[in-house]
Amino acid sequence: MRTAVHTSVRRGATGAALAALVLGGGAVACSQGTDQSPEMSPAAAVAKAAKNTDDITSLHYRMAGTVPEEGKVTAEASMSMKPLAMSMKMTAADSGTDGPVEMRLVDGAMYIGGGAQAAKEMDGKSWIKFDMSALGADNGMNADQLGGGEADKNPAAESTFLTGSKNVKKVGTETVEGVKTTHYKGSITLAGLRKTLKGEKKATREQREKSLEQYEKMGLDGFTMDAWIDGESRTKQFRMRGTADKGPLDMTVTFLDYNKPVTVKAPPAKDTADLAEMMKGAQAG
């Protein structure tokens, strides 16, 4: 049973960990905005969009691309910041699962759903629950290993990284998801980004530092970044590309909605296996 648990958790955790790659920063928009003012410099436009992330309370977004070691990934998610809750469905081409992996974060617990395949391995239970505060190193598997340590990242923070570019430029105007935007691009180093964190608010700084650590673990020193900003100075979409020690990174995040109510419910108890209890039982045995 322990082997099956670890196998299922590992597969589900792939989706959870991948979510961390983009849970970290950016501005969003869904309005039919107009193009950026030609009088605004690229650096000023990017800085203004970054500032507008402060009023974001919830997100609905889509991500697609390639992640080091995991290959091609697609996902769609909704999350609220206060109270912290998230629901995500993700498909990783190399995960070995028979369909999307679903992850829910609600009331301080993370739930990873593996569908019918997980149910076959866990006595009919298709969901695994773990309380991030209950798991620790003594259990042989902790929340960080399962991706739980990254689940509280805010995907409205990473696209602000373009403010760390010293060569940001305007590429042109484009329509993204029916919204008129101005396309900006620049190159960024992780070392340079760290320097920009010094003047940020504590909460903002901590969120961005988490994301930087994730990229450092990949062996990424820097990347190029594109951002599509609408006429209300909110980023509609951003793309990050770079070459890490563990493979290429090429991820695009498109914001579909924001500041709308987000409701996340825990899966039915009858379909859920509590990982903390299972680990305790295995240790007692």
Side-chain angles (χ1 to χ4, degrees):
M1 180 63 179
R2 183 178 176 82
T3 299
V5 170
H6 278 257
T7 300
S8 299
V9 171
R10 231 180 359 254
R11 288 171 178 163
T14 297
L18 290 174
L21 297 177
V22 295
L23 300 184
V28 268
C30 299
S31 62
Q32 301 292 326
T34 57
D35 295 339
Q36 289 285 348
S37 168
E39 298 179 359
M40 186 178 294
S41 71
V46 168
K48 188 173 182 179
K51 178 63 177 176
N52 282 338
T53 64
D54 293 345
D55 65 358
I56 295 174
T57 59
S58 64
L59 297 170
H60 177 200
Y61 64 96
R62 181 174 61 235
M63 56 182 274
T66 302
V67 178
E69 293 191 305
E70 305 299 343
K72 293 184 178 180
V73 176
T74 59
E76 187 165 336
S78 294
M79 74 176 296
S80 66
M81 287 55 172
K82 292 183 180 181
L84 180 62
M86 180 173 67
S87 175
M88 172 180 283
K89 289 186 177 180
M90 175 175 288
T91 299
D94 300 330
S95 67
T97 60
D98 58 356
V101 171
E102 184 172 358
M103 181 176 70
R104 299 181 190 177
L105 178 63
V106 58
D107 296 332
M110 182 182 289
Y111 300 83
I112 299 174
Q117 182 172 322
K120 290 179 182 179
E121 299 174 354
M122 298 191 300
D123 299 326
K125 307 287 188 180
S126 58
W127 289 86
I128 294 176
K129 170 190 176 181
F130 68 91
D131 184 334
M132 291 184 287
S133 63
L135 293 177
D138 292 341
N139 292 321
M141 196 184 313
N142 58 43
D144 286 338
Q145 289 173 302
L146 297 172
E150 312 298 335
D152 59 348
K153 283 189 175 181
N154 178 356
E158 265 181 10
S159 66
T160 61
F161 283 174
L162 193 53
T163 59
S165 174
K166 294 183 178 180
N167 60 357
V168 60
K169 63 181 180 180
K170 177 180 175 180
V171 177
T173 57
E174 300 172 25
T175 299
V176 178
E177 296 285 328
V179 177
K180 297 173 68 176
T181 69
T182 301
H183 181 182
Y184 298 95
K185 182 176 183 177
S187 58
I188 302 164
T189 65
L190 297 189
L193 276 174
R194 285 199 176 281
K195 293 180 180 179
T196 67
L197 298 180
K198 295 179 179 179
E200 297 291 348
K201 298 178 181 178
K202 181 180 179 181
T204 301
R205 184 176 66 253
E206 290 177 347
Q207 287 179 347
R208 295 179 186 176
E209 283 178 344
K210 274 189 177 182
S211 189
L212 287 176
E213 289 172 2
Q214 189 73 28
Y215 291 120
E216 287 174 339
K217 290 178 181 178
M218 287 187 216
L220 196 70
D221 296 324
F223 47 85
T224 59
M225 189 165 190
D226 296 75
W228 289 261
I229 299 174
D230 77 357
E232 294 182 354
S233 295
R234 294 188 180 276
T235 303
K236 176 65 178 176
Q237 178 174 278
F238 71 91
R239 182 182 184 185
M240 303 174 71
R241 287 175 285 180
T243 301
D245 292 344
K246 299 180 180 180
L249 169 69
D250 185 350
M251 184 59 63
T252 298
V253 178
T254 305
F255 295 97
L256 307 175
D257 209 345
Y258 73 106
N259 291 352
K260 298 291 180 66
V262 172
T263 301
V264 181
K265 295 183 179 180
K270 64 182 180 63
D271 299 328
T272 304
D274 191 314
L275 181 59
E277 293 181 3
M278 294 165 68
M279 297 288 280
K280 289 179 181 179
Q283 288 177 339

